[in-house]
Amino acid sequence: MAVNAAGQAASRPRSQDGPDFKPELIQLLTPEGERAEHPDYPLELTAEEIKALYRDLVLVRRIDFEAIALQRQGELGIWASLLGQEAAQVGSGRALQPRDMAFPTYREHGVAWCRGLDPAKLLELFRGVSHGGWDPKAHNIHLYTIVIGAQTLHATGYAMGIQRDGALGEDGEAVIAYFGDGATSQGDVNEAFIWASVNNAPIVFFCQNNQWAISEPLDRQTRIPLYLRAQGFGFPGLRVDGNDVFACLAVTRKALQAAREGQGPTLIEAYTYRMGAHTTTDDPTRYRLSAELESWKLKDPIERVKQYLIRSGLAKEDFFAEISAEADVIGDRVRKACLQMPDRDPLTMFDHIYQEPSPLLAEERAQLASYLSSFAGHADSLAKEGTR
Amino acid sequence: MTTLTISRALNEGLRKAMENDPKVLIMGEDVGKLGGVFRVTDGLAKDFGEDRVIDTPLAESGIVGTAIGLALRGYRPICEIQFDGFVYPAFDQIVSQLAKMAYRSLGKVKLPVVVRIPFGGGIGAVEHHSESPEALFAHTPGLRVVACGDPQDAYAMIQQAVNCDDPVIFFEPKRRYWDKSEVDIAGGLAAAPPIDAARTLVTGDDVTVLCYGPMVRTCIESAAAAAGEDTSVEVIDLRSLSPLDLTTIFTSVRKTGRCVIVHEAPVTGGLGAEIAARITQECFYSLEAPVLRVGGYSIPYPPSRMEEHYLPDLDRVLDAVDRSLSY
């Protein structure tokens, strides 16, 4: 292995933070379920609001769990689990106003839930029935974007549109762009930071740092805590405990409000952990230690809210049983929606390429129709079988 | 002879290339400890070290751009692009830099960079994981574009690509990664056909079928099925998509008088169009039928539950063979 003058392997970065540097982590609820205060992020929540957050966390985990099972049973092609990231997604998702716009990656099932998108729409994508297909305007959540980081530029452009529409102000609109730690290496994300900065665009960059980009740990992407990068681009950055739904809610709410009031972008680094595999095709035992997973289990985003509710006497066992029963109902509903999801007629693959009919596509469509009918009687069964 | 999958054959070929030349590097996302999402680089980081098998930041433009810099410094980088649909962030570096550096420098600079791309559909994947972008690169002067179709070619061609002083875009048939067949590992490269030569896999007299990558197996199976109906199909694996081995193509078409070109990529503006035009120009008086193309429709790659209707298969190849014979 090549060694440089300092005696270090050529390919390894120097220490990430320096010996004395300790990044600040904004936390309003400790892993043990103790309430913490932060001078910049006062948060008043009613018992009902806390219970609602708990419900969101439990339900999105259950939807995720059901989707993994459906993939294992061959009903989904693939699934990207959000396990461990529920608080980052629910906290930020519930900070949004209905008029705000969210630009997700492909793992934001918790955000999608908060926006009111039917989970069945997500299954449609992961089952391979469509590439998404929902109307972004219906719930102000854009389509899932699979190419890493590309959506951050779309979000920035959308935010520039808000400026031009004069839709800023106390009751104005803001945008949130989701992405992961891996995405911060992409040119698109860095360009989005620059665009947002020089335009003072009303956008919150919400980075879920789940520590892993498939098999690559954070030190393959960065030598400094990610939130510190914001400074170089000219806007504030902060790190929040991504497993703390209170803190995620508070910091995102404040950053969104700043954005809508014309104070420009903020980078939020939600420090969390991808408890599962990258997707159902991945095998994390090949590249990470189970001890790391175990240590993060102690910081579980749901358990700490439960502990808080119990300790503060806001909820009793019947509440938890009720939520658990509701989760079962939703799990069941998601499963049924998946199993009953019809395949699309193969001929619809020619739809929505252009706004106006295209002679070439009409011809190709007719060719396929004629080809399918040449199997006399088999065409219907082919269509029903889909690709499996 | 050893029985290997295409994935394993590529792995053995890469290993050989790294053993033969300490300047050979591998770089890409998840190529190190994980061994790549298709395990093509499995074990190489362990055996050759993290300085030679580099888990890069998640940025494709960066992978190819820094590979160019390493090549300028005398290294021979092999870039892995994780999936076909992720190559586009690197498109500028490939098309404007990698492909043009030799020309820009009047030959003073050579860039022996290999860009490996798993391509094609049929694996039930989500968007951007099933594309066939080869025509974009074949349309770019300065790049060599090749595709392997079986384990033997995978093993030999990856080494030939590394040895080549031109940039090579190396397409790997994703859905065939786990297909197994015999590979001559002991024999070395001497017996292997040149990287820019096509290979006649099935000899026939009635129709020439040209294919590459994942369609090679499909076309061999089609030829076998056609033989059962007394149609003699000649199957040629193009292997090199740029430059094309036109001599082999023309010789076959002049013999059969009929040609069907098969690829997964959309036929519109695809490689088949280029080949058909060349054949029409050079073999016009030998042709008994127009050159036919079987390929993807002129649409984005569809959701996976429809992909069976999008992808060329045995029946669609046979259908085209029949249509060719009906003239």
Side-chain angles (χ1 to χ4, degrees):
Chain A
M1 181 177 277
V3 171
N4 66 17
Q8 292 162 323
S11 65
R12 305 310 299 176
R14 292 193 296 274
S15 73
Q16 207 179 322
D17 300 332
D20 302 323
F21 182 80
K22 196 168 181 303
E24 191 200 3
L25 184 74
I26 297 162
Q27 194 176 64
L28 300 180
L29 186 64
T30 69
E32 295 73 31
E34 304 278 359
R35 190 72 165 80
E37 297 297 333
H38 192 289
D40 297 334
Y41 302 99
L43 182 70
E44 298 288 334
L45 291 172
T46 65
E48 288 316 303
E49 285 170 331
I50 297 168
K51 285 179 177 176
L53 289 171
Y54 177 82
R55 174 178 174 270
D56 286 337
L57 294 170
V58 170
L59 297 190
V60 299
R61 179 172 288 186
R62 181 52 200 264
I63 292 164
D64 190 74
F65 178 82
E66 202 65 41
I68 293 170
L70 285 163
Q71 195 281 333
R72 296 275 180 255
Q73 292 153 6
E75 297 297 337
L76 299 180
I78 194 170
W79 180 255
S81 169
L82 63 42
L83 189 66
Q85 299 174 223
E86 296 89 351
Q89 297 193 10
V90 168
S92 60
R94 287 299 176 202
L96 292 162
Q97 297 290 336
R99 60 186 180 277
D100 295 333
M101 188 69 186
F103 285 81
T105 72
Y106 47 81
R107 204 189 294 282
E108 266 67 79
H109 321 315
V111 179
W113 169 260
C114 293
R115 299 310 276 164
L117 189 72
D118 182 351
K121 298 306 287 184
L122 307 178
L123 299 188
E124 206 175 293
L125 188 160
F126 289 98
R127 188 173 165 87
V129 172
S130 78
H131 290 320
W134 64 82
D135 177 1
K137 284 199 167 77
H139 299 282
N140 273 7
I141 179 163
H142 187 65
L143 296 161
Y144 273 13
T145 298
I146 291 171
V147 173
I148 304 298
Q151 75 283 359
T152 56
L153 281 166
H154 312 156
T156 303
Y158 189 98
M160 290 162 64
I162 290 174
Q163 291 175 300
R164 278 151 186 76
D165 288 345
L168 294 175
E170 200 178 333
D171 299 320
E173 296 174 43
V175 178
I176 190 163
Y178 289 92
F179 54 102
D181 41 298
T184 62
S185 296
Q186 286 285 6
D188 276 3
V189 174
N190 288 273
E191 290 176 27
F193 288 171
I194 291 165
W195 250 256
S197 178
V198 301
N199 288 290
N200 204 39
I203 183 169
V204 174
F205 292 109
F206 195 91
C207 176
Q208 287 169 84
N209 175 0
N210 69 11
Q211 315 298 326
W212 291 93
I214 307 189
S215 74
E216 296 191 5
L218 190 62
D219 71 8
R220 293 287 73 199
Q221 319 292 344
T222 189
R223 276 169 55 176
I224 60 163
L226 292 170
Y227 74 94
L228 291 178
R229 287 199 184 161
Q231 194 179 6
F233 289 96
F235 52 87
L238 59 93
R239 180 183 276 186
V240 63
D241 181 347
N243 287 13
D244 172 354
V245 70
F246 292 176
C248 288
L249 175 69
V251 301
T252 311
R253 203 179 255 173
K254 187 170 176 179
L256 284 168
Q257 197 56 29
R260 74 177 98 247
E261 287 175 5
Q263 295 167 44
T266 303
L267 171 62
I268 296 173
E269 178 190 4
Y271 203 75
T272 181
Y273 194 75
R274 194 193 78 207
M275 296 297 285
H278 163 67
T279 66
T280 42
T281 62
D282 178 33
D283 174 12
T285 62
R286 287 177 68 99
Y287 53 78
R288 71 183 187 189
L289 299 170
S290 59
E292 184 179 279
L293 188 67
E294 292 305 316
S295 78
W296 277 92
K297 271 187 190 161
L298 301 174
K299 301 174 190 167
D300 185 74
I302 299 183
E303 189 56 29
R304 67 177 76 182
V305 182
K306 185 175 185 179
Q307 289 308 318
Y308 177 74
L309 284 168
I310 292 171
R311 284 181 196 188
S312 54
L314 296 175
K316 296 209 165 52
E317 198 44 53
D318 57 340
F319 167 73
F320 299 112
E322 185 189 310
I323 298 299
S324 177
E326 189 183 1
D328 286 344
V329 170
I330 288 195
D332 212 42
R333 206 176 76 203
V334 164
R335 166 164 294 272
K336 283 211 181 80
C338 182
L339 300 181
Q340 292 168 358
M341 195 176 289
D343 277 338
R344 286 160 59 198
D345 180 337
L347 296 178
T348 63
M349 74 168 90
F350 296 96
D351 296 345
H352 311 296
I353 319 277
Y354 303 107
Q355 304 305 319
E356 300 290 330
S358 137
L360 174 66
L361 289 172
E363 187 190 321
E364 290 187 358
R365 184 191 176 102
Q367 274 169 13
L368 177 59
S370 150
Y371 179 76
L372 289 174
S373 66
S374 74
F375 290 89
H378 294 296
D380 287 345
S381 60
L382 270 177
K384 281 201 187 94
E385 277 172 28
T387 64
R388 302 282 183 267
Chain B
M1 299 291 260
T2 318
T3 304
L4 296 177
T5 61
I6 286 185
S7 170
R8 195 71 212 173
L10 287 164
N11 182 273
E12 295 292 342
L14 289 168
R15 176 176 293 279
K16 195 74 107 188
M18 296 192 79
E19 284 168 357
N20 289 344
D21 184 351
K23 294 291 190 186
V24 173
L25 308 175
I26 291 175
M27 48 203 297
E29 296 154 9
D30 307 290
V31 297
K33 204 171 251 181
L34 183 64
V37 295
F38 294 107
R39 306 295 185 258
V40 171
T41 57
D42 188 27
L44 298 178
K46 186 168 144 278
D47 295 341
F48 295 98
E50 292 181 10
D51 278 353
R52 293 189 64 194
V53 182
I54 305 163
D55 265 338
T56 66
L58 207 172
E60 293 78 11
S61 179
I63 294 170
V64 176
T66 57
I68 291 171
L70 282 156
L72 291 171
R73 183 72 189 180
Y75 287 87
R76 302 184 87 88
I78 306 164
C79 303
E80 175 173 307
I81 301 295
Q82 199 159 70
F83 282 90
D84 32 61
F86 302 161
V87 72
Y88 307 114
F91 200 60
D92 173 61
Q93 287 290 346
I94 293 173
V95 171
S96 295
Q97 304 303 329
L98 186 61
K100 295 183 169 71
M101 203 74 85
Y103 191 70
R104 187 183 300 153
S105 68
L106 295 176
K108 291 173 190 69
V109 173
K110 60 181 183 186
L111 294 178
V113 174
V114 178
V115 180
R116 294 180 36 240
I117 307 176
F119 82 126
I123 64 161
V126 292
E127 205 182 356
H128 317 295
H129 290 66
S130 304
E131 302 189 2
S132 298
E134 62 272 15
L136 301 175
F137 300 102
H139 190 64
T140 303
L143 301 175
R144 285 179 179 269
V145 183
V146 303
C148 59
D150 63 31
Q152 176 63 49
D153 268 355
Y155 174 71
M157 288 173 75
I158 190 63
Q159 294 179 71
Q160 292 169 323
V162 174
N163 293 340
C164 178
D165 280 342
D166 296 320
V168 179
I169 310 298
F170 193 95
F171 283 101
E172 301 169 3
K174 189 189 300 154
R175 70 163 133 155
R176 308 292 190 209
Y177 267 136
W178 316 114
D179 283 12
K180 276 184 190 173
S181 58
E182 298 278 293
V183 178
D184 179 10
I185 287 194
L189 292 183
I195 193 168
D196 53 3
R199 215 153 54 101
T200 305
L201 300 179
V202 180
T203 308
D205 300 317
D206 295 338
V207 182
T208 299
V209 170
L210 304 176
C211 55
Y212 54 89
M215 285 293 104
V216 170
R217 190 176 116 188
T218 305
C219 291
I220 291 173
E221 289 168 358
S222 302
E229 293 168 10
D230 289 331
T231 300
S232 169
V233 171
E234 179 145 299
V235 178
I236 295 176
D237 178 359
L238 294 173
R239 300 168 83 249
S240 178
L241 312 183
S242 179
L244 287 162
D245 177 2
L246 293 168
T247 307
T248 300
I249 295 171
F250 294 158
T251 303
S252 175
V253 175
R254 285 187 184 118
K255 176 178 73 172
T256 62
R258 300 171 199 275
C259 182
V260 172
I261 306 163
V262 184
H263 52 56
E264 286 189 17
V267 292
T268 304
L271 212 62
E274 172 64 27
I275 296 167
R278 299 264 173 194
I279 291 171
T280 307
Q281 192 173 315
E282 297 298 324
C283 310
F284 189 69
Y285 293 107
S286 307
L287 286 174
E288 304 286 344
V291 179
L292 298 179
R293 292 172 291 163
V294 180
Y297 298 108
S298 307
I299 65 173
Y301 197 87
S304 62
R305 287 182 81 85
M306 294 185 189
E307 71 183 338
E308 189 169 308
H309 299 293
Y310 172 87
L311 291 169
D313 60 7
L314 185 142
D315 286 329
R316 275 175 65 192
V317 174
L318 288 178
D319 176 65
V321 166
D322 287 347
R323 279 188 287 128
S324 178
L325 286 165
S326 72
Y327 281 91

